Amino acid sequence: MIKLGMQKNSNEIELLDNLNKSFEDEFYKYASSLEYKKGENIFHSDDLLKHFYIVVDGKIKTYQINFENDKEQTIFIYKRGDMFDVISLLDNQAHDVLYEILEDCKVLELPIERVRYWLENDPTFGKKFFPYLAAQMRHTEELTTDLTLYNTQDRLINLLVDNLNPQKPFKYKLLQNLSNSEIAKLLGTVRHVVERALKQLKADNVIETGRKNIKVKSLQKLLDKTSQLLLK
């Protein structure tokens, strides 16, 4: 981990859009800029009771793992503009999840008590934060629904569609530079099952694949498949 001096212009984030100048100045007074390298071991539960983080660049995964069978489920992949840990911020309790740096990243670290103070005393900050919280809740609900109702190929099709949809903030442009193994963990399955599903979509001339890249060749064919799975 590298701790940097604050340079406001290089750390500007959408969260601060349309907030007043005095709040912006106070925000950067409390924020520290940190850089992490891919694979670093970070963000233990004790850290997240003291600090709140906002991603500026890169990707960070939060996940759960069953150590008896090594089965892993990715819950979120945080990217630019994402905030964590929202649960610890709200209930002041340790959150039993793990974190992994997927790409070299930069984050802003804030004292969690100061963020709570802003939520309680600055309505304009709350207007930015609570829609983000709602989006996280929707994402978690969709994850639960997908795992319960759909098979792996259908979940992959849904993910490919959402990856192109800017109205799905936690999935939009998510698949760039993700390995098949990481995609499998998003879908609650294993790599060879994802590769088999991708192979079928390639055979149907819906996608083409390269190194850590999936390109949709026919959005209409993909949308047709989502319509079919909804009619099952």
PDB file of all heavy atoms in Angstrom, residues 40-55:
ATOM      1  N   GLU A  40      -2.804  -7.446  -3.214  1.00  0.00           N
ATOM      2  CA  GLU A  40      -2.504  -7.085  -1.832  1.00  0.00           C
ATOM      3  C   GLU A  40      -3.631  -7.505  -0.891  1.00  0.00           C
ATOM      4  O   GLU A  40      -4.809  -7.506  -1.251  1.00  0.00           O
ATOM      5  CB  GLU A  40      -2.294  -5.573  -1.709  1.00  0.00           C
ATOM      6  CG  GLU A  40      -0.911  -5.110  -2.118  1.00  0.00           C
ATOM      7  CD  GLU A  40      -0.617  -3.690  -1.666  1.00  0.00           C
ATOM      8  OE1 GLU A  40      -0.506  -3.476  -0.434  1.00  0.00           O
ATOM      9  OE2 GLU A  40      -0.516  -2.801  -2.521  1.00  0.00           O
ATOM     10  N   ASN A  41      -3.252  -7.862   0.332  1.00  0.00           N
ATOM     11  CA  ASN A  41      -4.205  -8.261   1.367  1.00  0.00           C
ATOM     12  C   ASN A  41      -4.630  -7.012   2.130  1.00  0.00           C
ATOM     13  O   ASN A  41      -3.822  -6.369   2.797  1.00  0.00           O
ATOM     14  CB  ASN A  41      -3.551  -9.278   2.300  1.00  0.00           C
ATOM     15  CG  ASN A  41      -4.514  -9.837   3.314  1.00  0.00           C
ATOM     16  OD1 ASN A  41      -5.725  -9.782   3.131  1.00  0.00           O
ATOM     17  ND2 ASN A  41      -3.990 -10.376   4.394  1.00  0.00           N
ATOM     18  N   ILE A  42      -5.919  -6.668   2.044  1.00  0.00           N
ATOM     19  CA  ILE A  42      -6.346  -5.354   2.528  1.00  0.00           C
ATOM     20  C   ILE A  42      -7.697  -5.415   3.221  1.00  0.00           C
ATOM     21  O   ILE A  42      -8.396  -6.419   3.183  1.00  0.00           O
ATOM     22  CB  ILE A  42      -6.459  -4.361   1.353  1.00  0.00           C
ATOM     23  CG1 ILE A  42      -7.373  -4.977   0.277  1.00  0.00           C
ATOM     24  CG2 ILE A  42      -5.113  -4.004   0.790  1.00  0.00           C
ATOM     25  CD1 ILE A  42      -7.907  -3.971  -0.691  1.00  0.00           C
ATOM     26  N   PHE A  43      -8.057  -4.301   3.857  1.00  0.00           N
ATOM     27  CA  PHE A  43      -9.399  -4.033   4.355  1.00  0.00           C
ATOM     28  C   PHE A  43      -9.927  -5.133   5.268  1.00  0.00           C
ATOM     29  O   PHE A  43     -10.908  -5.815   4.950  1.00  0.00           O
ATOM     30  CB  PHE A  43     -10.384  -3.798   3.202  1.00  0.00           C
ATOM     31  CG  PHE A  43      -9.940  -2.749   2.229  1.00  0.00           C
ATOM     32  CD1 PHE A  43      -9.886  -3.022   0.881  1.00  0.00           C
ATOM     33  CD2 PHE A  43      -9.556  -1.490   2.669  1.00  0.00           C
ATOM     34  CE1 PHE A  43      -9.476  -2.053  -0.029  1.00  0.00           C
ATOM     35  CE2 PHE A  43      -9.147  -0.519   1.772  1.00  0.00           C
ATOM     36  CZ  PHE A  43      -9.110  -0.810   0.423  1.00  0.00           C
ATOM     37  N   HIS A  44      -9.275  -5.324   6.390  1.00  0.00           N
ATOM     38  CA  HIS A  44      -9.787  -6.241   7.408  1.00  0.00           C
ATOM     39  C   HIS A  44     -10.970  -5.582   8.122  1.00  0.00           C
ATOM     40  O   HIS A  44     -11.160  -4.366   8.084  1.00  0.00           O
ATOM     41  CB  HIS A  44      -8.680  -6.592   8.399  1.00  0.00           C
ATOM     42  CG  HIS A  44      -7.498  -7.234   7.742  1.00  0.00           C
ATOM     43  ND1 HIS A  44      -7.537  -8.506   7.218  1.00  0.00           N
ATOM     44  CD2 HIS A  44      -6.248  -6.761   7.494  1.00  0.00           C
ATOM     45  CE1 HIS A  44      -6.364  -8.813   6.699  1.00  0.00           C
ATOM     46  NE2 HIS A  44      -5.560  -7.767   6.850  1.00  0.00           N
ATOM     47  N   SER A  45     -11.773  -6.404   8.798  1.00  0.00           N
ATOM     48  CA  SER A  45     -13.009  -5.887   9.394  1.00  0.00           C
ATOM     49  C   SER A  45     -12.736  -4.755  10.386  1.00  0.00           C
ATOM     50  O   SER A  45     -13.520  -3.797  10.480  1.00  0.00           O
ATOM     51  CB  SER A  45     -13.793  -7.016  10.067  1.00  0.00           C
ATOM     52  OG  SER A  45     -13.000  -7.655  11.060  1.00  0.00           O
ATOM     53  N   ASP A  46     -11.634  -4.828  11.136  1.00  0.00           N
ATOM     54  CA  ASP A  46     -11.304  -3.755  12.083  1.00  0.00           C
ATOM     55  C   ASP A  46     -11.043  -2.434  11.360  1.00  0.00           C
ATOM     56  O   ASP A  46     -11.412  -1.357  11.843  1.00  0.00           O
ATOM     57  CB  ASP A  46     -10.083  -4.138  12.920  1.00  0.00           C
ATOM     58  CG  ASP A  46     -10.400  -5.216  13.948  1.00  0.00           C
ATOM     59  OD1 ASP A  46     -11.598  -5.469  14.177  1.00  0.00           O
ATOM     60  OD2 ASP A  46      -9.462  -5.797  14.506  1.00  0.00           O
ATOM     61  N   ASP A  47     -10.385  -2.513  10.179  1.00  0.00           N
ATOM     62  CA  ASP A  47     -10.126  -1.300   9.401  1.00  0.00           C
ATOM     63  C   ASP A  47     -11.435  -0.632   9.002  1.00  0.00           C
ATOM     64  O   ASP A  47     -11.559   0.600   9.012  1.00  0.00           O
ATOM     65  CB  ASP A  47      -9.340  -1.635   8.124  1.00  0.00           C
ATOM     66  CG  ASP A  47      -7.980  -2.242   8.424  1.00  0.00           C
ATOM     67  OD1 ASP A  47      -7.389  -1.865   9.444  1.00  0.00           O
ATOM     68  OD2 ASP A  47      -7.519  -3.084   7.634  1.00  0.00           O
ATOM     69  N   LEU A  48     -12.418  -1.458   8.652  1.00  0.00           N
ATOM     70  CA  LEU A  48     -13.674  -0.930   8.133  1.00  0.00           C
ATOM     71  C   LEU A  48     -14.595  -0.412   9.229  1.00  0.00           C
ATOM     72  O   LEU A  48     -15.636   0.173   8.938  1.00  0.00           O
ATOM     73  CB  LEU A  48     -14.374  -2.003   7.297  1.00  0.00           C
ATOM     74  CG  LEU A  48     -13.577  -2.380   6.038  1.00  0.00           C
ATOM     75  CD1 LEU A  48     -14.087  -3.670   5.432  1.00  0.00           C
ATOM     76  CD2 LEU A  48     -13.637  -1.267   5.019  1.00  0.00           C
ATOM     77  N   LEU A  49     -14.232  -0.614  10.482  1.00  0.00           N
ATOM     78  CA  LEU A  49     -14.937   0.038  11.586  1.00  0.00           C
ATOM     79  C   LEU A  49     -14.368   1.428  11.851  1.00  0.00           C
ATOM     80  O   LEU A  49     -14.988   2.235  12.546  1.00  0.00           O
ATOM     81  CB  LEU A  49     -14.846  -0.805  12.858  1.00  0.00           C
ATOM     82  CG  LEU A  49     -15.629  -2.120  12.854  1.00  0.00           C
ATOM     83  CD1 LEU A  49     -15.337  -2.916  14.115  1.00  0.00           C
ATOM     84  CD2 LEU A  49     -17.120  -1.863  12.712  1.00  0.00           C
ATOM     85  N   LYS A  50     -13.197   1.709  11.292  1.00  0.00           N
ATOM     86  CA  LYS A  50     -12.536   2.993  11.511  1.00  0.00           C
ATOM     87  C   LYS A  50     -12.562   3.891  10.277  1.00  0.00           C
ATOM     88  O   LYS A  50     -12.537   5.121  10.404  1.00  0.00           O
ATOM     89  CB  LYS A  50     -11.079   2.767  11.913  1.00  0.00           C
ATOM     90  CG  LYS A  50     -10.899   1.963  13.192  1.00  0.00           C
ATOM     91  CD  LYS A  50      -9.426   1.671  13.423  1.00  0.00           C
ATOM     92  CE  LYS A  50      -9.209   0.789  14.649  1.00  0.00           C
ATOM     93  NZ  LYS A  50      -7.785   0.415  14.811  1.00  0.00           N
ATOM     94  N   HIS A  51     -12.563   3.254   9.106  1.00  0.00           N
ATOM     95  CA  HIS A  51     -12.427   4.030   7.877  1.00  0.00           C
ATOM     96  C   HIS A  51     -13.492   3.641   6.851  1.00  0.00           C
ATOM     97  O   HIS A  51     -14.000   2.519   6.852  1.00  0.00           O
ATOM     98  CB  HIS A  51     -11.039   3.809   7.255  1.00  0.00           C
ATOM     99  CG  HIS A  51      -9.916   4.216   8.138  1.00  0.00           C
ATOM    100  ND1 HIS A  51      -9.094   3.312   8.780  1.00  0.00           N
ATOM    101  CD2 HIS A  51      -9.491   5.444   8.519  1.00  0.00           C
ATOM    102  CE1 HIS A  51      -8.203   3.957   9.507  1.00  0.00           C
ATOM    103  NE2 HIS A  51      -8.428   5.255   9.366  1.00  0.00           N
ATOM    104  N   PHE A  52     -13.790   4.586   5.971  1.00  0.00           N
ATOM    105  CA  PHE A  52     -14.714   4.404   4.859  1.00  0.00           C
ATOM    106  C   PHE A  52     -13.941   4.702   3.586  1.00  0.00           C
ATOM    107  O   PHE A  52     -13.078   5.585   3.571  1.00  0.00           O
ATOM    108  CB  PHE A  52     -15.894   5.373   5.020  1.00  0.00           C
ATOM    109  CG  PHE A  52     -17.024   5.128   4.072  1.00  0.00           C
ATOM    110  CD1 PHE A  52     -17.856   4.034   4.224  1.00  0.00           C
ATOM    111  CD2 PHE A  52     -17.285   6.033   3.046  1.00  0.00           C
ATOM    112  CE1 PHE A  52     -18.921   3.814   3.363  1.00  0.00           C
ATOM    113  CE2 PHE A  52     -18.347   5.833   2.187  1.00  0.00           C
ATOM    114  CZ  PHE A  52     -19.163   4.725   2.344  1.00  0.00           C
ATOM    115  N   TYR A  53     -14.239   3.969   2.512  1.00  0.00           N
ATOM    116  CA  TYR A  53     -13.416   4.064   1.305  1.00  0.00           C
ATOM    117  C   TYR A  53     -14.260   4.370   0.075  1.00  0.00           C
ATOM    118  O   TYR A  53     -15.395   3.911  -0.057  1.00  0.00           O
ATOM    119  CB  TYR A  53     -12.661   2.752   1.083  1.00  0.00           C
ATOM    120  CG  TYR A  53     -11.697   2.431   2.194  1.00  0.00           C
ATOM    121  CD1 TYR A  53     -12.103   1.671   3.286  1.00  0.00           C
ATOM    122  CD2 TYR A  53     -10.396   2.918   2.182  1.00  0.00           C
ATOM    123  CE1 TYR A  53     -11.227   1.385   4.329  1.00  0.00           C
ATOM    124  CE2 TYR A  53      -9.517   2.645   3.217  1.00  0.00           C
ATOM    125  CZ  TYR A  53      -9.936   1.877   4.287  1.00  0.00           C
ATOM    126  OH  TYR A  53      -9.077   1.608   5.314  1.00  0.00           O
ATOM    127  N   ILE A  54     -13.667   5.145  -0.830  1.00  0.00           N
ATOM    128  CA  ILE A  54     -14.271   5.444  -2.124  1.00  0.00           C
ATOM    129  C   ILE A  54     -13.230   5.133  -3.196  1.00  0.00           C
ATOM    130  O   ILE A  54     -12.086   5.576  -3.113  1.00  0.00           O
ATOM    131  CB  ILE A  54     -14.702   6.917  -2.217  1.00  0.00           C
ATOM    132  CG1 ILE A  54     -15.678   7.258  -1.082  1.00  0.00           C
ATOM    133  CG2 ILE A  54     -15.346   7.200  -3.580  1.00  0.00           C
ATOM    134  CD1 ILE A  54     -16.030   8.725  -1.001  1.00  0.00           C
ATOM    135  N   VAL A  55     -13.633   4.363  -4.191  1.00  0.00           N
ATOM    136  CA  VAL A  55     -12.709   3.949  -5.243  1.00  0.00           C
ATOM    137  C   VAL A  55     -12.563   5.067  -6.263  1.00  0.00           C
ATOM    138  O   VAL A  55     -13.552   5.618  -6.755  1.00  0.00           O
ATOM    139  CB  VAL A  55     -13.202   2.667  -5.932  1.00  0.00           C
ATOM    140  CG1 VAL A  55     -12.215   2.236  -7.026  1.00  0.00           C
ATOM    141  CG2 VAL A  55     -13.374   1.543  -4.917  1.00  0.00           C
TER     142      VAL A  55
END
